[in-house]
Amino acid sequence: MAQDFLNGVGRELHKELVAKDKINNHTSYISGPWLAMDLKNRKSLLHFNVFALLRPDPKTEYNQQLVRATNLLCSTLRYMKTLRAGLLEPNVLHFQPYGAQMVDAYPLDMSQYHRVFNTTRIPGQGRDELFTNEKGRHVLVMRNGNMYVFDVVDRDGNLLKPTEIQAHLNYILTDLTPAPAFPIGILTSENRDVWAELRDKLQDQHSVQQLKAMLYQCSRYHRQLVKEASMGDPQEDPGHVGETMSLDWSGNASGSVRMSWKK
């Protein structure tokens, strides 16, 4: 039976796969069907989400939460910048010692790497959707069920200094805002169709438009702060004006403005 498949249907299927692979040089022929299967799965993402378990840093002082979070975020942003510049080395699976170069080595599909950053999975009825905002310059931090947003890339594409990132994270860690009575994040652990229905109801009520309006006001507020900061001491050069915004789903926002000056 196996030999009949090899010489019959199997041979034709192989030809089709080879032809499909040739017209999709940027990815693997299995990428599309695999992604569709994943997005159509209706189970909670708690069954599938991957996670990273990090070893303690050899330097004990670097394991302090604020320092650790700052270092991880800074390193992640440098990786993001390298990825976007197209400077990452190919991801290659080696079956021989690495020094053997490309002997028994197979390049892996990296076409989904751009999804690592600025991407979210939006629930839908029957199938979810991946949305990527390639112009996004912020990070979202969740703590005690509260969400915080701050920019980590400026308009020129430069990364914030580690000290500035640390200042934002320190604000979040020391914020005394209590955990929300009804944290919106818990809904994302639901069955995907259930979460899609609940999300649609939230959108229909008020959340999205209020959030967009709030973010617009925040951007105006930030530009005004930059303008006022530039009118400060003429002997000083404004370094950075940053704002950490705390968001809730009623459309409210609170922020802490911090300025750093450099001589």
Side-chain angles (χ1 to χ4, degrees), residues 219-239:
S219 64
R220 291 182 58 193
Y221 181 47
H222 184 267
R223 287 196 296 271
Q224 181 64 24
L225 284 171
V226 173
K227 180 179 179 181
E228 292 177 358
S230 65
M231 297 171 60
D233 190 333
Q235 302 301 317
E236 296 178 319
D237 177 41

Side-chain angles (χ1 to χ4, degrees), residues 106-200:
Y106 303 89
L108 300 180
D109 184 5
M110 299 176 65
S111 62
Q112 296 296 327
Y113 271 44
H114 72 286
R115 301 280 194 190
V116 174
F117 300 99
N118 302 95
T119 298
T120 186
R121 177 170 174 163
I122 300 176
Q125 293 294 337
R127 174 173 173 153
D128 292 350
E129 173 190 358
L130 293 179
F131 173 75
T132 301
N133 178 12
E134 297 180 354
K135 297 182 179 180
R137 297 186 289 115
H138 66 276
V139 295
L140 176 102
V141 180
M142 299 183 68
R143 179 173 180 268
N144 290 339
N146 296 307
M147 304 180 192
Y148 305 83
V149 176
F150 63 92
D151 284 347
V152 290
V153 182
D154 66 20
R155 294 177 181 176
D156 297 322
N158 301 309
L159 304 181
L160 252 62
K161 296 178 181 178
T163 52
E164 295 172 323
I165 291 177
Q166 185 181 43
H168 285 292
L169 293 176
N170 184 60
Y171 167 80
I172 295 171
L173 284 172
T174 56
D175 184 25
L176 299 179
T177 301
F182 304 99
I184 192 70
I186 198 172
L187 297 178
T188 64
S189 65
E190 261 288 2
N191 171 280
R192 300 307 291 174
D193 285 336
V194 174
W195 171 216
E197 181 180 357
L198 293 172
R199 185 176 182 274
D200 287 342

Side-chain angles (χ1 to χ4, degrees), residues 21-179:
D21 191 54
K22 286 183 178 179
I23 61 176
N24 290 281
N25 291 327
H26 65 290
T27 186
S28 167
Y29 68 85
I30 197 66
S31 179
W34 187 270
L35 188 61
M37 177 184 67
D38 183 52
L39 294 177
K40 289 179 180 179
N41 196 308
R42 301 292 83 198
K43 292 183 179 180
S44 167
L45 294 185
L46 293 178
H47 294 275
F48 307 103
N49 265 12
V50 296
F51 66 93
L53 183 63
L54 303 176
R55 296 180 178 179
D57 196 288
K59 296 183 179 180
T60 307
E61 63 273 20
Y62 283 7
N63 290 315
Q64 194 270 340
Q65 186 179 19
L66 177 59
V67 177
R68 179 82 158 172
T70 302
N71 285 338
L72 286 173
L73 182 52
C74 289
S75 296
T76 301
L77 291 172
R78 287 194 290 268
Y79 181 89
M80 179 191 72
K81 198 168 184 178
T82 304
L83 171 64
R84 289 181 173 177
L87 299 176
L88 278 185
E89 293 184 2
N91 194 352
V92 179
L93 179 62
H94 293 269
F95 286 98
Q96 298 292 335
Y98 192 76
Q101 297 298 325
M102 296 305 291
V103 177
D104 204 11
Y106 303 89
L108 300 180
D109 184 5
M110 299 176 65
S111 62
Q112 296 296 327
Y113 271 44
H114 72 286
R115 301 280 194 190
V116 174
F117 300 99
N118 302 95
T119 298
T120 186
R121 177 170 174 163
I122 300 176
Q125 293 294 337
R127 174 173 173 153
D128 292 350
E129 173 190 358
L130 293 179
F131 173 75
T132 301
N133 178 12
E134 297 180 354
K135 297 182 179 180
R137 297 186 289 115
H138 66 276
V139 295
L140 176 102
V141 180
M142 299 183 68
R143 179 173 180 268
N144 290 339
N146 296 307
M147 304 180 192
Y148 305 83
V149 176
F150 63 92
D151 284 347
V152 290
V153 182
D154 66 20
R155 294 177 181 176
D156 297 322
N158 301 309
L159 304 181
L160 252 62
K161 296 178 181 178
T163 52
E164 295 172 323
I165 291 177
Q166 185 181 43
H168 285 292
L169 293 176
N170 184 60
Y171 167 80
I172 295 171
L173 284 172
T174 56
D175 184 25
L176 299 179
T177 301

